[in-house]
Amino acid sequence: MEKSTYTFLLTGGIVGVAGQFRDREFAAYSIAAGVFVCLLEYPRGKRNKGTSVERTGQYCFTVCVKSFGPLTRNYYVRAFLHAAICVPGGFILAAVLGCVCLGIASLIYLAAAIRGEQWEPILPWKESARKPVGESIKLPPQNPPPRPPAEMRRKRAEDLEAAAYVNPIAVTANDD
C-alpha cells in the first residue's frame, strides 16, 4: 500500500486534534489508526516473480509483523482490518481522505485475497543459501570464439588488388 494512505490518515488526525475540531476523539483515533497502519504496511512483501527489494530499516518491522502469523499474512484479514479501521475516522472531515484511501486499500486486499495471494516477508539472505560459483566460471575459456568462414574474413592489405572487395551491384554514374 502506498505511504500516502496512512500519511493522509495520520495528518488528518493531527489537523483534527490541533485544530480542536468538534469531535476530537475521532481525530485522536485517526492518529492511532494511522500509526497502526504505518507499522503494519511499512514492510514490503516478497514478490512471487522477480526480485524484491526491502525498504530501509524494514527488518525490525518485518519481525514484528511476522510474529502475528496468519493474522498479518492473510489478505482477507487485512481487508477486513482496513475496512474496520476506516469507518470511525470518516466521521471527522480532516481524516476523510485517509479513510477513503483505506477503503480502497481494503478492496484491493480483498481482490488479492480472492486471487490467492498472501504476504510473505523479505528475509535477509543467508550465506549458505547462495549457490557456490562453479569452477568453470573462474577459469578462462578453453576454446577460441567462433569465427566466420575463411572466404568471409577480411583479406590482408599487403596485396591491395587481392584485398579489395568486389561489389556485386554495378555502380553507374548518372549524367543527367
Side-chain angles (χ1 to χ4, degrees):
M1 180 175 25
E2 290 293 320
K3 289 192 283 187
S4 60
T5 300
Y6 52 83
T7 305
F8 288 148
L9 193 62
L10 190 61
T11 306
I14 291 171
V15 167
V17 170
Q20 297 181 350
F21 282 31
R22 186 167 40 97
D23 293 322
R24 285 190 299 272
E25 298 82 20
F26 291 118
Y29 170 81
S30 294
I31 293 173
V35 169
F36 175 73
V37 172
C38 176
L39 296 176
L40 179 68
E41 296 296 331
Y42 186 73
R44 276 190 185 137
K46 188 180 350 178
R47 293 180 177 198
N48 293 336
K49 297 178 183 176
T51 58
S52 302
V53 179
E54 68 177 15
R55 289 186 172 127
T56 306
Q58 172 178 323
Y59 181 72
C60 59
F61 293 114
T62 302
V63 171
C64 293
V65 171
K66 186 181 171 193
S67 66
F68 288 103
L71 291 178
T72 54
R73 188 173 59 231
N74 190 342
Y75 281 168
Y76 283 112
V77 173
R78 283 191 181 200
F80 176 74
L81 189 63
H82 281 66
I85 287 174
C86 80
V87 172
F91 290 114
I92 188 162
L93 184 61
V96 167
L97 183 59
C99 293
V100 168
C101 290
L102 269 180
I104 293 170
S106 173
L107 294 175
I108 292 170
Y109 273 129
L110 184 63
I114 290 171
R115 286 189 307 216
E117 296 178 24
Q118 67 178 3
W119 184 81
E120 291 293 328
I122 301 174
L123 298 174
W125 286 53
K126 296 184 176 95
E127 290 299 321
S128 61
R130 289 186 179 183
K131 295 179 183 176
V133 177
E135 292 297 321
S136 64
I137 295 176
K138 294 178 183 176
L139 300 175
Q142 301 297 323
N143 298 327
R147 305 208 184 261
E151 61 271 2
M152 296 298 291
R153 285 190 219 144
R154 188 169 271 273
K155 299 174 185 172
R156 297 227 181 248
E158 295 156 351
D159 182 17
L160 291 178
E161 283 297 318
Y165 286 102
V166 177
N167 192 352
I169 301 172
V171 179
T172 60
N174 286 341
D175 294 336
D176 291 332

